[in-house]
Amino acid sequence: MAPAPPAAPHTADGPAAPAASYEVAASALERAAALIREIPDYPEAGILFRDITPLLADGEALRATVDALLAPFAGTFDVIAGIEARGFLLASAAAVASGTGVVPVRK
């Protein structure tokens, strides 16, 4: 696996836009997706719960996921917002990878 992209430089006004290119192989994303467990009827009948903890526990899969999240937006943001529980986790990882900050957003 390739090393993580360097953190974005900071300016007097805060972090500079990330300059790194976030390219992700389709096979890496397929592998990451395969780690997500589907649990039917949890927490109640008719709900299909997707458990991402196996993905979070796998460094390569997490890196591929974070890079794929960042790719469409590279260079266009200076902070990442994460919505609720899983969003906090993925936004924090994306913020570290891009050298920016994270803003947790709750209901």
Side-chain angles (χ1 to χ4, degrees), residues 44-97:
E44 60 186 55
I47 302 292
L48 178 62
F49 179 76
R50 289 188 171 85
D51 178 16
I52 67 168
T53 55
L55 183 146
L56 295 174
D58 185 300
E60 285 186 34
L62 181 57
R63 168 53 76 183
T65 302
V66 167
D67 286 349
L69 286 170
L70 292 171
F73 309 104
T76 64
F77 59 89
D78 55 13
V79 69
I80 297 176
I83 301 172
E84 289 300 333
R86 293 185 219 185
F88 297 165
L89 297 170
L90 292 172
S92 295
V96 168

Side-chain angles (χ1 to χ4, degrees), residues 1-6 21-25 28 59-60 63-64 67:
M1 174 122 222
S21 172
Y22 301 99
E23 295 182 21
V24 183
E60 285 186 34
R63 168 53 76 183
D67 286 349

